[in-house]
Amino acid sequence: MPTTPDTADGTAATVPVATAPAATAPAATAPAEPRSVADLHRAGQLLAQYPKVRALLAPLGGPELLTAGQLLSRLDPDEVRAAHPAVPQVTVAVTGHGTLSQLTAPLTAELARHGLLARIAVSDFDSYVFDLSDARSDLYGAEPDLVLCVLDPMAVFDEVPVPWRPEDVERVAAEKYAIVAGLVARFEAASRGTLVLNTLPLPHRFTAQLVDHRSRARLGALWREFNARLLRLADAHPGLVTIDLDPLLAEGIEAVDTRLSLYAKAHLAPGLLARYAREVGHLARHLTGRTRKTLAVDLDGTLWGGVLGDDGAEGIEVADGYRGAAFTAFQQVVKQLGSQGVLLAAVSKNDIEPVGEVFRDHPGMTLREDDLVRITANWRPKHDNLAELAEALNLGIDSFVFVDDSPYECGLVRHALPDVAVVQVGQEPARHIDALLADGWFDTRELTAEDRSRVAKYRDELVRKDFLDSFDSLDDYLRQLDVRVALAAVAEADVARVAQLTQRTNQFNLTTRRLTPADVRALAADRGGLALAIRSSDRFGDNGLVGAVLGHRAGKALHIDNFLLSCRVFSRGIEQACLAAVLRHARDTGATEVLGSYRPTPKNHKVKDFYPRGGFAQAPDARAEDGTAVFRHDLAGIAAPPDHIHLTASFGESTS
């Protein structure tokens, strides 16, 4: 009888059983693809094959992910970086009140799930006050991208007298808040990284020590007020993020393991630390420019129940019945994401006419045509439709999240487009919401006005492409487009959007240096700094703030530290017009040269010739270890801007 072992991709392969010894040695076969991080570890290939880790971790959770994190945390980040220099690295400093060594493994795994290499340093027990208050501490010396100041309930209760009353807890909590607020201000002044705090759970073993319900209510109220103050700290400190643990605890996670708390001074339970690490992973993904921008959803079985082609519009499940209510709840969540700048698209194997009628006319639909940038309904492979949609929107395919209930379709997209985040929902529509939201694909630090109007702007962009198709030449199209550009010093109202552009723009981003709002604000306020915002509009509408030029003066030289532009407005001459304006302004204000940097990344190769096309020459011997090249313009001859661009420039005080 033949045996049918699993192959590397999970399918069955028929292998005949040998009936006699082979006369000659069998031919060598290629090694099987690893199916887990443990496979790579056992084979001694975890370092060499590190780029495969991301895909191997994608489906994991719970103990399996923790085990993988333990293996990954044994790797030397320097060796990984030397072997794979293209892998982005995030330096994380962990400090706090309790013992936090159990955070290393889940944090390593969560960052690796998003293609990031974690360099983690955990401070000693209860060292957060020293770490954050002394600019000479090892924490600041590491120049971390993320600082996790992990707070726990014992940070307060360790200093409450025995016996105690709610008033004692209130006094200590107020003192702790004052200390934390001072540390946040100190960090903001001393570091350009992001500081992460968290709210503190209130364990039952403390409320239960109060025998009267009135005192318990008083304790609960003052504890929540303390946490609310921690959450509101971020309003005054742009470099701060506070993670609210209450929604995580509501998932049924244990907050405290009493034995670990008493014996090991580990005051937050391992499961809660692992869930917290997932939130940190989402934040790290955003800070490295990997936030997803587009949500593409299947229809039959995903956005509504049933099969439209078989059941007809009147037979699909939406709004009515308990399953219809579940699909409606899912549509409401999708619409909520769209209202905050996530681009929504439908990608379905269906005929377009009945699909359009459902979105326009079905009384139970929450999502409508105007909520979507595009509805694609045909019988072509979905990965082809996704690739074409990415091209039409001028977005990288790695900015897409695809949701489908079909394991077959999900598998095809994973195989053909590995950079797409695939969310496979099951047959129970009530669980669709949890599946979509589990990974925080669209998390960002702050919403801007541009975010809320993004869907309309991208719909306009598709209209522009249709308009382009009506012309025989690109020049004729650009002249009729009537592009208008405003280049001006960054104002306070622009700070959040400019910082967001540095964090989310990858293709037209000359150096991909990620800036916080505090960084942008400081640059705009620096008399020697250059911080310019680019706005554009055309016959189809206002594109908003779409780019920035950032730099500084040094003597007679103007240094352009970064130049970035939204992918929505590529190839219209905006970048050339703005560069010419900056060069003219530099010359008119006494500069003798302008220097521009380009640091290559896997995604910005399209702009590697940006400075040479603008009349710059590469400076000799100016290439750094990370590949950064410096280009120089002597201001002797400045190219004229494209004649179809109408540009106004107001440099204010940013370069004075």
Side-chain angles (χ1 to χ4, degrees):
M1 292 291 293
T3 59
T4 56
D6 287 340
T7 63
D9 63 0
T11 58
T14 302
V15 180
V17 176
T19 56
T24 58
T29 58
E33 280 293 307
R35 302 182 68 176
S36 69
V37 169
D39 283 350
L40 288 175
H41 173 71
R42 283 189 292 267
Q45 291 293 304
L46 192 51
L47 173 61
Q49 301 295 323
Y50 187 85
K52 295 183 178 180
V53 164
R54 180 182 182 184
L56 295 173
L57 295 180
L60 301 186
E64 290 181 315
L65 186 62
L66 180 61
T67 299
Q70 290 168 342
L71 295 175
L72 290 168
S73 65
R74 299 175 190 174
L75 294 175
D76 183 337
D78 288 333
E79 293 181 358
V80 177
R81 195 67 188 275
H84 309 286
V87 175
Q89 175 182 269
V90 178
T91 301
V92 184
V94 180
T95 188
H97 173 257
T99 301
L100 295 165
S101 56
Q102 291 186 81
L103 188 54
T104 300
L107 194 58
T108 301
E110 291 294 348
L111 266 66
R113 286 180 67 243
H114 302 300
L116 304 172
L117 172 64
R119 182 184 295 274
I120 302 172
V122 181
S123 294
D124 295 333
F125 170 79
D126 195 19
S127 60
Y128 72 102
V129 174
F130 168 75
D131 285 341
L132 291 171
S133 61
D134 188 349
R136 298 166 296 179
S137 69
D138 291 343
L139 183 147
Y140 286 107
E143 298 184 347
D145 303 297
L146 277 172
V147 174
L148 311 182
C149 180
V150 184
L151 302 175
D152 58 65
M154 297 311 298
V156 173
F157 280 104
D158 273 351
E159 298 183 23
V160 171
V162 177
W164 56 273
R165 300 169 62 189
E167 291 76 12
D168 297 309
V169 178
E170 186 174 30
R171 172 182 53 79
V172 175
E175 293 170 354
K176 287 295 178 184
Y177 173 80
I179 291 172
V180 170
L183 294 175
V184 170
R186 181 73 182 102
F187 177 86
E188 196 169 58
S191 174
R192 64 175 301 274
T194 296
L195 176 63
V196 181
L197 299 178
N198 59 275
T199 58
L200 284 61
L202 178 60
H204 176 258
R205 67 185 175 103
F206 291 109
T207 58
Q209 291 177 43
L210 299 171
V211 297
D212 67 294
H213 287 282
R214 190 174 299 279
S215 293
R216 291 179 182 178
R218 169 73 174 143
L219 176 63
L222 68 89
W223 196 266
R224 286 167 177 81
E225 289 165 1
F226 173 49
N227 279 332
R229 296 182 75 188
L230 291 176
L231 290 167
R232 284 194 291 266
L233 260 178
D235 292 341
H237 299 281
L240 173 68
V241 172
T242 302
I243 294 178
D244 190 355
L245 297 188
D246 278 357
L248 312 186
L249 295 169
E251 297 174 354
I253 298 172
E254 181 183 37
V256 177
D257 183 314
T258 304
R259 291 190 308 162
L260 287 174
S261 179
L262 292 175
Y263 297 151
K265 306 301 181 186
H267 301 308
L268 297 178
L272 179 57
L273 287 178
R275 187 62 182 83
Y276 165 86
R278 173 159 287 208
E279 296 297 307
V280 174
H282 301 165
L283 177 60
R285 179 182 61 203
H286 167 66
L287 294 177
T288 54
R290 292 168 174 246
T291 299
R292 305 281 170 156
K293 299 177 181 178
T294 307
L295 173 60
V297 293
D298 170 53
L299 300 179
D300 294 336
T302 301
L303 209 61
W304 57 62
V307 178
L308 179 61
D310 296 338
D311 303 322
E314 69 283 355
I316 62 174
E317 295 177 291
V318 62
D320 297 328
Y322 75 96
R323 280 177 55 86
F327 284 109
T328 293
F330 182 64
Q331 287 193 25
Q332 290 171 342
V333 170
V334 172
K335 186 162 185 166
Q336 172 68 15
L337 293 174
S339 72
Q340 299 167 89
V342 176
L343 304 178
L344 306 179
V347 178
S348 174
K349 285 188 174 177
N350 254 308
D351 293 322
I352 188 62
E353 291 82 6
V355 167
E357 290 174 3
V358 168
F359 276 102
R360 288 189 300 272
D361 304 328
H362 196 292
M365 288 291 290
T366 298
L367 281 172
R368 296 295 182 181
E369 275 188 311
D370 288 347
D371 296 316
L372 308 173
V373 291
R374 174 160 288 181
I375 298 172
T376 301
N378 55 41
W379 298 97
R380 300 177 56 215
K382 290 186 179 180
H383 54 268
D384 288 345
N385 286 326
L386 288 170
E388 289 184 4
L389 179 58
E391 183 178 2
L393 295 172
N394 206 7
L395 290 172
I397 196 65
D398 60 351
S399 70
F400 277 66
V401 176
F402 172 65
V403 184
D404 202 311
D405 67 308
S406 166
Y408 172 78
E409 298 290 356
C410 289
L412 282 181
V413 172
R414 285 193 186 101
H415 176 74
L417 301 172
D419 287 334
V420 171
V422 176
V423 177
Q424 182 181 326
V425 293
Q427 298 304 305
E428 173 50 75
R431 299 192 183 279
H432 284 13
I433 294 172
D434 292 339
L436 172 59
L437 300 180
D439 256 313
W441 295 112
F442 310 104
D443 287 2
T444 185
R445 288 178 57 163
E446 181 178 2
L447 282 182
T448 66
E450 281 77 9
D451 290 325
R452 298 189 185 279
S453 61
R454 180 175 291 118
V455 174
K457 287 180 169 59
Y458 271 92
R459 286 174 65 91
D460 289 344
E461 183 57 27
L462 293 175
V463 173
R464 289 183 184 93
K465 290 186 180 297
D466 292 340
F467 183 62
L468 169 61
D469 291 341
S470 67
F471 287 88
D472 294 329
S473 74
L474 179 61
D475 288 342
D476 290 340
Y477 162 73
L478 291 173
R479 279 192 289 272
Q480 291 299 317
L481 192 57
D482 191 25
V483 179
R484 298 183 178 274
V485 178
L487 182 68
V490 169
E492 176 60 31
D494 304 328
V495 167
R497 171 59 176 164
V498 172
Q500 184 188 70
L501 281 170
T502 72
Q503 294 159 4
R504 299 182 65 168
T505 302
N506 293 302
Q507 296 181 66
F508 198 115
N509 191 330
L510 272 294
T511 63
T512 62
R513 293 190 177 95
R514 314 297 181 184
L515 302 183
T516 66
D519 294 329
V520 176
R521 187 175 289 107
L523 184 60
D526 185 353
R527 291 183 62 83
L530 179 77
L532 302 173
I534 302 171
R535 289 177 168 81
S536 78
S537 62
D538 56 42
R539 65 181 295 164
F540 293 106
D542 185 5
N543 291 305
L545 202 164
V546 295
V549 183
L550 307 172
H552 68 280
R553 293 260 187 169
K556 292 290 187 178
L558 172 63
H559 295 255
I560 301 177
D561 299 322
N562 204 4
F563 194 124
L564 51 154
L565 198 66
S566 169
C567 54
R568 284 190 288 117
V569 294
F570 281 4
S571 304
R572 297 180 192 172
I574 294 172
E575 57 271 33
Q576 292 93 336
C578 289
L579 181 60
V582 169
L583 293 175
R584 288 196 303 271
H585 179 71
R587 182 190 60 195
D588 295 345
T589 53
T592 57
E593 62 179 354
V594 174
L595 302 174
S597 298
Y598 166 71
R599 183 170 70 90
T601 72
K603 297 181 182 179
N604 71 355
H605 61 276
K606 292 182 179 179
V607 294
K608 65 181 179 180
D609 296 327
F610 173 66
Y611 285 121
R613 290 198 306 269
F616 287 68
Q618 184 168 347
D621 302 324
R623 188 174 292 274
E625 289 185 4
D626 63 357
T628 299
V630 177
F631 297 87
R632 177 181 180 273
H633 198 297
D634 61 11
L635 301 177
I638 300 174
D643 59 10
H644 67 272
I645 297 287
H646 307 280
L647 182 139
T648 59
S650 174
F651 290 86
E653 299 296 321
S654 63
T655 59
S656 61

